[in-house]
Amino acid sequence: MTSSFSFQIQAQCDRTHARAACFTTPHGPVETPRFMPVGTLANVKTLTPDQVRATAAQMILANTYHLHLQPGEEIVAAAGGLHRFMDWQGPILTDSGGFQVFSLSEMRVISDQGVTFRSPRDGQTIELTPERSIEIQNALAADVIMAFDECPSYPATREEVAQAVKRTTRWLERCAKAHKRSDQALFGIVQGGVYSDLRSLSAQELVTFDLPGYAIGGVSVGEPPELIEPIVRAVTPLLPEHKPRYLMGVGTYREMVQAVAAGVDLFDCVIPTRLARHGSALVQGERWNLKNAKFREDFTALDSTCPCMTCTRFSRAYLSHLLRSRELLGFTLLSIHNITELVRFTTRMRASIFAGRFLEDFLQGDSC
């Protein structure tokens, strides 16, 4: 790990692999386990930076692919990097753009060199290679940057996934050579689809690069939830214990609990803001559609146990009114609450690990 970064395990669960730790970055610490909100285009949708900070989020994400298309990394760099551009002084992670590019199945061509695709904005032909992804991320200047990987869709044949694993390893080598900044930590991404032997192979190959951290990718690309847990349980112990582990694209309660039990530290997902834009709230493990008729005359708080501005100042009836009227404030208030809920959930897991009660509090006596 570079001198600007450190990872200290502070407490561990005796009967699982769960751990509480502190990941220190140039822009501050991240206390794990921790949920990270997604700010794809250098903003968490509908929220100001102050509103995001009020959720107790410590680290947020932005996306290389989207920021390359608009406004362009040169503009972000001229502004002084992402932190100044979006006025977020906490840690930032940028995804490599790999997932977004590979999702453009009808618009891209993959080769060993990289991926060529047509911009969905203007039709311009763009080539994204491992070197170009790192160059863009170096310009964006996030604290943590992700290696350019091949993320196969689900379902995919074993041959297709095996090819993606090979490319991911070769591309990581090129990413590591292209990476020029010591104040940015480069994380590798384990691929392998639902094939346990390919997952193990990918993890073992990536660990040889001795990177500051590692991610598990390709586990939220359409496969059923029951296949995610065994992948995470098998892969996580293969990653270095003394470095942060990041499960990409996962933000549901059960999946986060199982992943923390396996030794995962960081999570991200678009769930809280996406649900908010559809009128749904996360309330103590349940999803509530606030547009339902039963909330129209319900003047109680959304969640009386939640300290967020939405729950302490506004009623369910008011939220229902805003959402039925498609007022933007409704999306903002639900986003504030939903992010707060997921951050609180991960911080409760952290507190439970310190208290030695993680198994009892979150797994109800089931071993992991």
Side-chain angles (χ1 to χ4, degrees):
M1 190 166 297
T2 63
S3 58
S4 300
F5 298 85
S6 66
F7 184 74
Q8 181 182 8
I9 298 174
Q10 299 167 315
Q12 293 179 280
C13 174
D14 292 338
R15 291 167 289 171
T16 74
H17 297 286
R19 73 259 192 96
C22 183
F23 177 37
T24 302
T25 78
H27 286 87
V30 184
E31 297 173 334
T32 69
R34 202 76 173 196
F35 176 81
M36 304 180 291
V38 175
T40 301
L41 279 162
N43 74 295
V44 178
K45 290 188 184 299
T46 76
L47 301 185
T48 68
D50 288 343
Q51 289 169 331
V52 178
R53 277 187 281 269
T55 68
Q58 294 178 329
M59 188 174 195
I60 64 174
L61 275 70
N63 183 262
T64 299
Y65 164 81
H66 290 289
L67 290 172
H68 173 62
L69 296 182
Q70 171 64 39
E73 64 275 11
E74 300 88 353
I75 290 178
V76 176
L82 272 176
H83 295 88
R84 289 188 180 179
F85 188 58
M86 63 185 296
D87 190 29
W88 176 264
Q89 298 312 311
I92 299 175
L93 180 152
T94 45
D95 192 1
S96 68
F99 175 80
Q100 286 72 28
V101 169
F102 291 110
S103 68
L104 301 172
S105 58
E106 298 179 357
M107 304 170 61
R108 48 91 170 137
V109 176
I110 307 172
S111 70
D112 288 341
Q113 177 62 19
V115 183
T116 302
F117 63 98
R118 289 192 176 276
S119 168
R121 288 183 174 271
D122 56 16
Q124 178 183 357
T125 299
I126 298 174
E127 184 180 35
L128 193 59
T129 64
E131 292 82 4
R132 188 72 180 104
S133 174
I134 295 300
E135 180 184 8
I136 296 168
Q137 292 187 82
N138 283 168
L140 295 175
D143 300 272
V144 174
I145 65 176
M146 304 304 297
F148 192 63
D149 62 324
E150 182 174 349
C151 181
S153 60
Y154 179 87
T157 67
R158 179 182 174 82
E159 291 72 23
E160 290 170 333
V161 176
Q163 178 65 28
V165 168
K166 290 179 181 178
R167 279 204 179 111
T168 293
T169 301
R170 291 197 298 266
W171 287 355
L172 174 57
E173 184 175 5
R174 291 164 58 186
C175 286
K177 290 180 180 178
H179 184 32
K180 303 300 183 185
R181 297 183 60 153
S182 61
D183 60 344
Q184 292 180 299
L186 173 64
F187 281 25
I189 305 174
V190 176
Q191 290 293 346
V194 296
Y195 302 95
S196 58
D197 60 326
L198 295 180
R199 284 283 179 179
S200 296
L201 174 64
S202 181
Q204 291 164 5
E205 290 181 345
L206 268 55
V207 165
T208 64
F209 287 85
D210 192 26
L211 300 170
Y214 294 87
I216 302 172
V219 294
S220 55
V221 292
E223 70 277 69
E226 60 268 21
L227 295 182
I228 295 177
E229 180 185 336
I231 292 170
V232 174
R233 291 179 63 175
V235 171
T236 306
L238 301 178
L239 303 178
E241 183 179 7
H242 60 289
K243 295 181 180 181
R245 300 158 171 166
Y246 162 34
L247 181 57
M248 306 180 75
V250 168
T252 61
Y253 298 87
R254 187 181 189 282
E255 289 172 357
M256 287 196 292
V257 167
Q258 295 294 337
V260 167
V264 170
D265 307 295
L266 298 168
F267 305 88
D268 81 282
C269 193
V270 298
I271 281 177
T273 51
R274 179 175 290 172
L275 286 178
R277 296 194 303 277
H278 288 86
S280 294
L282 295 168
V283 182
Q284 299 184 31
E286 299 179 350
R287 295 186 183 183
W288 293 1
N289 183 352
L290 270 295
K291 291 183 285 188
N292 285 346
K294 66 179 181 179
F295 295 112
R296 295 186 68 173
E297 297 182 47
D298 186 342
F299 302 106
T300 60
L302 179 59
D303 181 354
S304 61
T305 71
C306 179
C308 79
M309 178 181 73
T310 302
C311 292
T312 56
R313 295 177 59 181
F314 303 101
S315 70
R316 298 172 184 178
Y318 182 61
L319 295 171
S320 180
H321 155 66
L322 293 176
L323 295 164
R324 285 168 169 271
S325 304
R326 297 198 60 79
E327 286 290 330
L328 297 182
L329 178 58
F331 306 150
T332 295
L333 293 177
L334 276 197
S335 294
I336 289 171
H337 168 75
N338 287 348
I339 292 174
T340 301
E341 169 66 15
L342 290 185
V343 172
R344 289 177 70 215
F345 185 74
T346 52
T347 58
R348 287 199 299 272
M349 284 194 282
R350 174 179 168 83
S352 187
I353 294 168
F354 273 107
R357 291 191 49 83
F358 176 75
L359 191 66
E360 294 80 1
D361 292 346
F362 289 93
L363 292 172
Q364 299 178 345
D366 294 334
S367 61
C368 183

